[in-house]
Amino acid sequence: MAGPGAALSDRIPKVGASSEQGFLGNDVHITRKDIWYAEGGPSISRAEWFHLISRDPSLQLARDVIVENAQGEKVSLQEPTLTVWLEWPHRVEGRAEALFWHSDGNVSAKAPDLDTRCKMYVIAAAFQAQLQNDQGEVYGARG
């Protein structure tokens, strides 16, 4: 189930973590596949992801982000597709960021809160895709 993006997911602090049932610690994925971790199937290309970022002023390709973990330690995250959602209502630059990344034909976020899931739904609609959590449960427009 884990692809190359899994290592990044393990390092991203749960800064957007929500205590809502079913979401704490759960990654959410924008996918065109029937199940996000399936081998093959329709995917979102890296080029499509970069094109969407270039058209959406609320998204910024960061590639290297420093955030704070639960212990207050600074963590440097480096990934070529790492993207910051600049309009996340709870954003504190360098401390709490809503982050997306592209991996294995999907766009993912670590433990996204409701605001972030709603943004992800908008992105999914642009890709004619859907939102799924780690278990493959599909979410709609209201996150």
Side-chain angles (χ1 to χ4, degrees):
M1 232 167 54
L8 178 65
S9 175
D10 293 342
R11 293 188 354 253
I12 294 178
K14 298 173 188 169
V15 293
S18 168
S19 61
E20 299 167 45
Q21 184 175 354
F23 283 100
L24 188 60
N26 230 348
D27 290 0
V28 175
H29 314 275
I30 300 167
T31 188
R32 290 181 176 143
K33 301 173 187 177
D34 290 334
I35 185 76
W36 70 272
Y37 55 82
E39 297 283 330
S43 63
I44 299 165
S45 72
R46 200 177 260 209
E48 287 176 292
W49 177 233
F50 289 154
H51 182 70
L52 183 128
I53 294 166
S54 74
R55 293 184 11 239
D56 185 337
S58 76
L59 297 175
Q60 180 180 42
L61 190 61
R63 294 188 173 117
D64 187 3
V65 177
I66 296 175
V67 293
E68 220 173 79
N69 66 18
Q71 293 76 33
E73 302 165 328
K74 297 288 185 181
V75 177
S76 176
L77 304 170
Q78 297 156 354
E79 206 282 330
T81 67
L82 196 59
T83 304
V84 176
W85 179 29
L86 300 171
E87 296 176 2
W88 183 46
H90 313 289
R91 182 173 190 240
V92 179
E93 189 173 353
R95 187 164 155 235
E97 303 278 9
L99 302 171
F100 305 112
W101 67 94
H102 180 276
S103 178
D104 294 331
N106 305 304
V107 175
S108 302
K110 179 76 175 181
D113 64 1
L114 180 60
D115 294 316
T116 306
R117 292 192 311 271
C118 288
K119 175 65 175 177
M120 291 179 79
Y121 184 84
V122 171
I123 294 169
F127 287 136
Q128 297 179 338
Q130 61 183 340
L131 290 184
Q132 292 182 12
N133 68 10
D134 283 338
Q135 292 74 38
E137 186 177 349
V138 176
Y139 296 99
R142 296 187 180 156

